[in-house]
């Protein structure tokens, strides 16, 4: 990843050309020339209901073609609301039959993290491209298995990193790439919100809960994307101010990262604190974002007076459109499985540091 | 410390009354009723030359009465520039004779940190009040000895924490005290600058160098003053990107603090990075300062739209005036020796954490 804007623009240009000649050979031979790819959402919780399904009403290259849910009442509601054909509605048992459904081009896994591996692998085996929500999985081993399954079955795997499709985030990635203010020296990256729930999967270890995977990857991505580097060591500290709720997983994680260039980052994430900002200090200037990873309104400023304040109608719509375009045209995904794995590699090191109380090399 | 603004105002009112009746009994019996206290600066480096001496031209309760220097040429220059009488100029050998000089009320120690203890103790034994630059000393043992010497000799000891005299800093201290936005949850505090020097005491361990004492106490104070609490644990990481210069001491220090209330702080300090900011996330809002500990221009904003932007003519003049007033009136100092000790206690724990690679309880 770490796509340059000019790369992005040229890919968009290719994609537009592909759309003009929608029967041409640029389109994958596996798929008939479709105007839009059919997406099946797996798991109909808050994110599917309130973010992805509405976004799929705005997409130009994707549409809501089907659903996979373990709750029959949800199936009924969604069927009516989105006018879905009965044949495109699956449960977790008959899900594998999706292989025979030409309406479904992409399976979007929006389940708790512990279930990602199973459903990504099953989707890949069914010959469907896969979108998978973040965090990619609870372990590096899971991520590697998911990447391998998609490779083996010749399908694409995109991680739902909506922010990397947000031009406001791409702007600060570009600043690092161009070294506009010289080398990055220090990053502070914080992402958290007060979660009042007491019995959600986010508080459940077996389901892949804990703030590190959920909000922590935003704090981590702030540091990774602002430096354009992968961390080589981490020291981390987990804590909880509500032990009656956070029995199994951490409410707050703080971690210090070291990067190959010598850049350092301090990251904070919490289910108990409303915070969302990024500060980057370079050799010759600074950049700030606040919010840095919101669903909308991400914006920032730089020491030379440059403002970052792009407006987009929907991050999730842009993400799905761009990922579908990459599938249709056969170009690189902005955030493929390997990008999700990069984060989980650091997340594993963070938990190891918490366990040992020591710095962990990555 | 942690004085409420109303305390400050009422003290100021008492002090004003004292000034009106300058022969009254509120003034210390030890000192004749002076309009201004005479200050002798010990150590005529950059800070004395460029900050304190000019500030002493603006003070209303203090004036530059003498100097103590090991460099005869500096003595000559200062004598002429500030019209100092020969009898008020000392060197490090004859310094103790200052005991017999009624012009000198306060000795202000502006030497490298390793020399603070010796000169604070000698000044106290000479019966003079003492101002001492930050960091107070390289060790807790030194700080305790300095406090004891001043107590034994019935003189006051003030640490040169100019920021605590800055109304912009007092404003965020007050927000913590009043719990304007509820409890403090997370603090990010950064203070650093690019130091191009290669052979200064700041790079010399024996002289008390290292970024932690010099700039690190600003990062630490940001967290301590923004929470109004003392940290109970720390985990720290020292690093250096210019090992050819930072052979003996750290160029950069990052440390994570835990406070009794459950508040957490992430602090960064460096001689290699220009950065100076504070971000506080409370239960119900936020506060930002940038710069947070500059010589001037400290300013900030809060989530409810309140701006912090007080103008003062000189932090150092305000500091010396307020400290002299406290001596004249016999009231509490804003930043006494005990406040300097609080920081050094954390600094010692930070170095211990760096050495062991483990969290250290304070």
């Amino acid at each position: 990843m770490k796509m340059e804007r000019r790369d992005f623009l040229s890919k968009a240009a290719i994609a537009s050309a592909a759309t003009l000649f929608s029967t041409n050979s640029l389109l994958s031979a596996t798929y008939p020339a479709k105007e839009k790819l059919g997406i099946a959402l797996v798991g109909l919780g808050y994110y599917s209901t309130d973010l992805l399904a509405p976004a799929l009403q705005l997409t130009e290259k994707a549409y809501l073609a089907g659903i996979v849910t373990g709750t029959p009442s949800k199936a009924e509601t969604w069927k009516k609301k989105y006018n879905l054909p009965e044949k495109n509605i699956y449960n977790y048992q008959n899900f594998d039959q999706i292989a025979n459904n030409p309406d479904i081009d992409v399976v979007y896994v929006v389940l708790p993290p512990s279930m990602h591996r199973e459903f990504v692998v099953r989707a890949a085996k069914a010959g469907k491209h896969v979108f998978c929500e973040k965090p990619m999985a609870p372990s590096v081993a899971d991520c590697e298995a998911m990447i391998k399954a998609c490779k083996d079955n010749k399908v694409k795997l995109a991680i739902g990193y909506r922010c990397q499709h947000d031009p406001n985030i791409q702007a600060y990635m570009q600043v690092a790439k161009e070294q506009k203010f010289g080398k990055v020296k220090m990053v502070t990256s914080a992402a958290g919100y007060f979660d009042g729930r007491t019995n959600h999967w986010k508080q459940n270890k077996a389901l892949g809960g804990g703030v590190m995977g959920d909000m922590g990857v935003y704090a981590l991505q702030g540091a990774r994307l602002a430096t354009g580097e992968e961390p080589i060591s981490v020291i981390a500290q987990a804590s909880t101010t509500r032990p009656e709720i956070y029995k199994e997983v951490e409410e707050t994680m703080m971690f210090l990262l070291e990067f190959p260039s010598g850049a350092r980052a301090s990251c904070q994430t919490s289910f108990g604190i409303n915070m969302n900002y990024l500060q980057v200090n370079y050799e010759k200037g600074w950049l700030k974002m606040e919010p840095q990873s919101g669903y909308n309104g991400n914006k920032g400023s730089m020491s030379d007076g440059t403002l970052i304040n792009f407006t987009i109608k929907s991050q999730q719509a842009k993400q799905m459109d761009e990922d579908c375009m990459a599938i249709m045209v056969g170009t690189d995904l902005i955030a493929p499985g390997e990008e999700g794995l990069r984060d989980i590699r650091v997340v594993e090191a963070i938990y190891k540091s918490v366990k040992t109380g020591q710095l962990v090399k990555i």
Side-chain angles (χ1 to χ4, degrees), chain A:
Chain A
M1 339 150 30
K2 280 178 220 87
M3 173 184 281
E4 282 195 63
R5 188 165 312 175
R6 76 193 58 145
D7 289 345
F8 171 69
L9 292 174
S10 61
K11 279 184 193 173
I14 292 168
S16 298
T19 311
L20 283 174
F21 309 98
S22 62
T23 52
N24 82 8
S25 61
L26 278 172
L27 295 180
S28 163
T30 321
Y31 288 89
K34 288 184 173 185
E35 282 295 320
K36 294 187 173 194
L37 297 188
I39 292 189
L41 295 177
V42 187
L44 305 181
Y46 161 76
Y47 196 68
S48 283
T49 307
D50 287 11
L51 278 306
L52 294 179
L56 282 165
Q57 310 313 306
L58 304 171
T59 41
E60 293 169 9
K61 298 295 156 201
Y63 74 102
L64 180 62
I67 53 175
V68 186
T69 176
T71 311
S73 62
K74 284 186 184 173
E76 207 51 38
T77 307
W78 281 64
K79 182 185 166 186
K80 278 183 197 145
K81 182 165 184 186
Y82 294 108
N83 197 26
L84 298 171
E86 185 65 39
K87 72 178 183 69
N88 290 1
I89 299 175
Y90 296 85
N91 58 42
Y92 298 147
Q93 287 69 48
N94 68 12
F95 167 66
D96 307 282
Q97 295 170 21
I98 209 164
N100 309 315
N101 190 334
D103 288 358
I104 311 297
D105 302 293
V106 178
V107 168
Y108 195 157
V109 178
V110 201
L111 297 161
S114 64
M115 300 170 77
H116 287 183
R117 176 176 174 167
E118 177 191 341
F119 279 83
V120 167
V121 171
R122 284 170 73 179
K125 284 186 179 166
K128 303 302 180 185
H129 296 294
V130 194
F131 297 168
C132 177
E133 255 316 301
K134 44 91 358 211
M136 185 171 172
S139 73
V140 166
D142 283 352
C143 295
E144 289 174 340
M146 292 154 74
I147 292 168
K148 183 172 187 301
C150 291
K151 198 165 286 179
D152 289 350
N153 290 282
K154 299 185 172 50
V155 295
K156 296 262 192 185
L157 172 57
I159 307 303
Y161 281 135
R162 57 187 172 76
C163 287
Q164 296 194 23
H165 298 264
D166 182 329
N168 296 290
I169 276 66
Q170 292 170 342
Y172 76 71
M173 294 168 70
Q174 191 67 9
V175 169
K177 189 163 182 93
E178 288 177 3
Q179 300 214 339
K180 175 176 166 127
F181 301 114
K183 283 186 180 181
V184 175
K185 302 294 284 181
M186 181 69 71
V187 178
T188 304
S189 179
Y193 69 94
F194 185 86
D195 194 321
R197 294 172 293 190
T198 58
N199 199 23
H200 189 263
W201 67 257
K202 294 187 183 187
Q203 287 113 29
N204 184 311
K205 192 177 170 72
L207 293 176
V211 76
M212 188 56 225
D214 189 59
M215 293 303 289
V217 295
Y218 293 124
L220 172 57
Q221 289 239 330
R224 287 184 52 245
L225 305 183
T227 56
E229 297 181 62
E230 297 307 317
I232 54 174
S233 83
V234 67
I235 187 160
Q237 193 175 22
S239 61
T240 299
T241 60
R242 293 177 290 169
E244 69 284 6
I245 299 169
Y246 292 88
K247 294 169 199 151
E248 305 177 346
V249 298
E250 77 287 349
E251 181 190 28
T252 298
M253 187 75 83
M254 302 177 76
F255 51 103
L256 306 179
L257 300 170
E258 177 189 4
F259 291 90
S261 67
R264 301 267 165 173
S266 168
C267 305
Q268 297 89 45
T269 186
S270 180
F271 283 142
I273 309 171
N274 292 312
M275 57 181 177
N276 198 285
Y277 60 90
L278 177 74
Q279 171 131 5
V280 192
N281 287 82
Y282 308 86
E283 283 174 301
K284 292 170 289 187
W286 52 258
L287 181 150
K288 297 184 217 188
M289 300 289 300
E290 185 165 9
Q292 64 141 310
S293 59
Y295 288 154
N296 50 58
N298 293 320
K299 61 184 194 298
S301 57
M302 306 179 207
S303 50
D304 67 353
T306 308
L307 297 180
I308 302 175
N309 195 5
F310 295 98
T311 306
I312 49 170
K313 59 181 179 183
S314 160
Q315 275 178 345
Q316 288 86 357
K318 191 165 183 292
Q319 166 204 325
M320 290 187 281
D321 267 340
E322 290 174 0
D323 287 344
C324 284
M325 191 74 90
I327 290 170
M328 293 163 96
V329 182
T331 49
D332 289 345
L333 291 160
I334 282 188
E338 289 76 5
E339 172 69 1
L341 170 59
R342 284 181 203 114
D343 279 342
I344 300 306
R345 199 170 274 136
V346 182
V347 172
E348 266 199 2
I350 284 170
Y351 281 120
K352 189 175 170 191
S353 175
V354 167
K355 202 171 174 183
T356 61
Q358 296 275 1
L359 180 134
V360 171
K361 301 270 179 195
I362 305 171

